[in-house]
Amino acid sequence: QKEVEQNSGPLSVPEGAIASLNCTYSDRGSQSFFWYRQYSGKSPELIMSIYSNGDKEDGRFTAQLNKASQYVSLLIRDSQPSDSATYLCAVRMDSSYKLIFGSGTRLLVRP
Amino acid sequence: DTEVTQTPKHLVMGMTNKKSLKCEQHMGHRAMYWYKQKAKKPPELMFVYSYEKLSINESVPSRFSPECPNSSLLNLHLHALQPEDSALYLCASSQEGWGEQFFGPGTRLTVL
């Protein structure tokens, strides 16, 4: 059973802090990794994709991938109340159309 | 432009009704997806179309019938649904099967 694990939270951080969201996956053949943000009642919005080990930065967001440890994380710098949402980690195995989603981490940024 | 559109936004139907959900993308993507999402759960894959051919059916009950009329359109035909089928139905597309998937806004379905 291929799995993607996330802490359900809520993760509560003060405004301006760094929020760190973590995700582990079970299948070593996984090749593509994605972070989606989902506001309550809305659809998932892609915020980051990462395919190789290391860090990838986009504005206030940094994705980190460590394939040896089967671990992917998302850092949000200077967190804002508008970042309060559920963050879904999604993993795709090589040559598969199927994304496997984690259960999501709810982030709460306190003003 | 990373827009996927879905209609209708909301749908209420009885268990004997037949209805259809529609999804459209104009990004030239060749893979399109239907997902079902229940409250506080992650999206659950239902179907994948690649180059207008059905490539994955995740053992979805036959009361859900997908159709891909052309590379930009994806439909989901609904018939004899059950109340437990009430959920947010999401369409997504990607350049190829391994690319980034972009979701539409979803259709909120209620089955009475």
Side-chain angles (χ1 to χ4, degrees):
Chain A
Q1 179 79 2
K2 300 176 178 66
E3 293 182 344
V4 177
E5 300 282 346
Q6 293 182 259
N7 188 318
S8 62
L11 173 65
S12 181
V13 300
E15 184 174 355
I18 295 175
S20 178
L21 305 162
N22 304 314
C23 173
T24 59
Y25 59 94
S26 62
D27 184 60
R28 287 195 172 274
S30 300
Q31 294 293 322
S32 308
F33 307 86
F34 307 92
W35 283 99
Y36 288 85
R37 177 175 63 197
Q38 187 170 26
Y39 293 111
S40 180
K42 301 294 186 183
S43 65
E45 174 191 7
L46 180 68
I47 51 174
M48 290 289 284
S49 58
I50 188 166
Y51 303 97
S52 54
N53 280 330
D55 295 0
K56 179 181 177 182
E57 186 174 319
D58 184 1
R60 295 187 297 114
F61 299 99
T62 298
Q64 300 175 317
L65 175 61
N66 184 326
K67 289 186 178 180
S69 300
Q70 295 175 242
Y71 177 94
V72 58
S73 65
L74 179 70
L75 300 178
I76 306 174
R77 289 181 299 281
D78 188 23
S79 295
Q80 300 297 308
S82 58
D83 294 325
S84 298
T86 295
Y87 289 80
L88 296 163
C89 173
V91 176
R92 177 184 286 119
M93 296 174 296
D94 193 22
S95 68
S96 168
Y97 291 130
K98 186 173 179 178
L99 282 185
I100 299 175
F101 283 88
S103 57
T105 298
R106 192 159 68 93
L107 173 65
L108 177 63
V109 181
R110 308 187 305 272
Chain B
D1 183 9
T2 56
E3 187 177 74
V4 177
T5 60
Q6 290 187 244
T7 54
K9 291 184 180 179
H10 301 275
L11 179 63
V12 179
M13 60 186 291
M15 289 190 286
T16 58
N17 292 159
K18 286 185 181 180
K19 297 287 185 182
S20 296
L21 309 183
K22 180 179 175 181
C23 173
E24 192 165 6
Q25 57 88 13
H26 294 288
M27 297 177 279
H29 288 177
R30 304 316 303 259
M32 297 185 75
Y33 311 77
W34 280 116
Y35 288 86
K36 171 183 176 180
Q37 188 176 27
K38 303 282 272 186
K40 300 190 186 301
K41 297 289 187 183
E44 179 184 335
L45 183 67
M46 300 174 71
F47 303 103
V48 180
Y49 274 83
S50 177
Y51 290 85
E52 302 164 45
K53 289 185 173 18
L54 182 65
S55 58
I56 295 179
N57 176 341
E58 288 286 296
S59 302
V60 178
S62 60
R63 58 185 183 268
F64 296 91
S65 176
E67 178 196 19
C68 189
N70 60 55
S71 60
S72 300
L73 282 175
L74 187 65
N75 298 321
L76 186 63
H77 303 298
L78 314 173
H79 173 55
L81 294 193
Q82 304 298 309
E84 59 264 30
D85 296 321
S86 298
L88 180 66
Y89 286 83
L90 297 161
C91 175
S93 70
S94 64
Q95 181 67 35
E96 299 284 350
W98 53 88
E100 296 174 330
Q101 288 187 22
F102 297 94
F103 285 86
T107 294
R108 177 76 58 188
L109 174 68
T110 302
V111 182
L112 301 176

